[in-house]
Amino acid sequence: MQSKTLLQNKHVAVAEFRCSAGPGDTPFVEQHQSHSMSYVRKGSFGCHCRGRFFELVTGSVLIGHPGDDYVCTHEHVCGDECLSFSLSPELVEQIGDEAAIWRVGATPPLPELMVLGELGQAAADGNSDIGLDEIGQIFASRLVEVVSGNSRKTVAASARDRRRAVETALWIDANSHDDIDLEAAAMQAGLSPFHFLRLFSTVLGVTPHQYVVRSRLRHAARLLADDHIAVTEIAYEVGFGDLSNFVRTFHRAAGVSPNKFRQASRGMRKIFQERLALN
């Protein structure tokens, strides 16, 4: 088993797991250390848990409850890959801590969860501007809704809550060059990360991490248009951790590379005319 930690904070941990076990390998007992959701993104495996047996294929979700033993088998194929979200007890309590929900063992490939699992994979690959911690909370909330059959009621935000969201958005925009995560933004708003994510998304139509990324892109576009700073310097100045991530994210947003955007801003209109012609 190979594992790679993608994110670790107080409330959410995200990891990739790659297992190469096959029919000839002897299964062994493992134990869930936390509430977790492992989205099967490739391959398949069997799982004995809580007196039941599950066959998990691509799109299924293995659900963990702390302290529960389980045994994974590979009787049919060799190997699997999972994107796993582990949640803190505090977050689980806020989302929905009914024991029956977190002890179902697994879910079959359900469209409501598969689309979120793929969104999580896109974020893990750097192809989405939604934060992995945000996706973890959204995934868990949707899981509770699907398993329980009870949809969350939409509650209109109060004037005070809307002001909180707007004021925090202004703070994010002013500080987007810094390392801002969901917990830092929630602390600024005086709310738990789970409730802040729901409030911010409801009021402004984007998640906090999306707004961080888009603020960085906005500042980058201004610098590309107005200054002669090197693209690498701009990437770090606006808050991107590396140049390749900046170039990929900017190209996804603008449809052209940062260099071509700079050329277009200085009179090379053909660049955007070509883009419009293609569309």
Side-chain angles (χ1 to χ4, degrees):
M1 173 75 76
Q2 295 180 338
S3 64
K4 178 183 179 182
T5 299
L6 304 177
L7 174 73
Q8 177 83 56
N9 62 35
K10 182 180 178 182
H11 296 290
V12 180
V14 186
E16 292 178 329
F17 289 96
R18 290 183 171 87
C19 179
S20 58
D25 294 297
T26 303
F28 57 93
V29 178
E30 301 177 76
Q31 187 177 80
H32 292 294
Q33 301 301 312
S34 63
H35 293 86
S36 63
M37 310 163 298
S38 296
Y39 173 70
V40 184
R41 65 186 190 188
K42 186 177 181 181
S44 72
F45 61 94
C47 184
H48 293 272
C49 182
R50 301 188 66 81
R52 300 178 62 190
F53 181 75
F54 305 91
E55 291 283 7
L56 289 93
V57 295
T58 303
S60 301
V61 179
L62 177 65
I63 300 173
H65 185 278
D68 280 0
D69 293 335
Y70 65 100
V71 177
C72 291
T73 64
H74 291 81
E75 301 172 358
H76 310 300
V77 298
C78 180
D80 63 85
E81 296 181 9
C82 293
L83 182 66
S84 181
F85 299 86
S86 297
L87 314 177
S88 70
E90 296 80 9
L91 179 56
V92 171
E93 183 177 358
Q94 292 173 351
I95 294 174
D97 63 350
E98 296 91 337
I101 292 174
W102 295 98
R103 286 177 171 163
V104 297
T107 68
L110 301 174
E112 302 94 331
L113 301 180
M114 292 170 70
V115 293
L116 294 177
E118 292 303 320
L119 181 60
Q121 188 58 51
D125 294 338
N127 296 322
S128 172
D129 58 3
I130 299 182
L132 274 172
D133 51 354
E134 295 174 342
I135 294 174
Q137 296 194 30
I138 295 169
F139 197 119
S141 182
R142 191 67 174 127
L143 170 69
V144 170
E145 290 182 358
V146 171
V147 174
S148 68
N150 298 320
S151 299
R152 293 183 181 276
K153 295 181 179 179
T154 302
V155 180
S158 66
R160 179 170 179 265
D161 284 339
R162 299 179 80 84
R163 184 173 66 252
R164 271 180 169 174
V166 170
E167 290 177 348
T168 308
L170 295 175
W171 175 81
I172 288 174
D173 187 60
N175 296 277
S176 60
H177 55 280
D178 291 331
D179 186 13
I180 298 176
D181 59 13
L182 179 60
E183 290 194 31
M187 186 178 298
Q188 180 70 21
L191 296 169
S192 72
F194 176 66
H195 289 105
F196 174 69
L197 174 59
R198 294 183 66 195
L199 172 65
F200 193 94
S201 302
T202 298
V203 173
L204 298 177
V206 294
T207 71
H209 187 74
Q210 284 179 314
Y211 192 65
V212 170
V213 173
R214 293 171 193 189
S215 292
R216 290 171 179 170
L217 290 174
R218 183 177 69 81
H219 293 304
R222 177 62 63 82
L223 290 173
L224 286 167
D226 291 349
D227 295 323
H228 296 275
I229 305 173
V231 170
T232 301
E233 291 182 38
I234 291 176
Y236 289 109
E237 182 172 331
V238 300
F240 284 91
D242 62 79
L243 179 61
S244 61
N245 183 31
F246 168 61
V247 172
R248 182 174 59 249
T249 305
F250 191 92
H251 193 287
R252 190 167 64 238
V256 294
S257 69
N259 279 323
K260 285 191 175 296
F261 181 89
R262 168 168 277 170
Q263 293 170 12
S265 72
R266 294 175 180 173
M268 296 185 65
R269 297 179 181 177
K270 185 179 179 182
I271 292 173
F272 282 132
Q273 288 172 348
E274 289 174 349
R275 290 292 306 171
L276 290 172
L278 289 173
N279 293 331

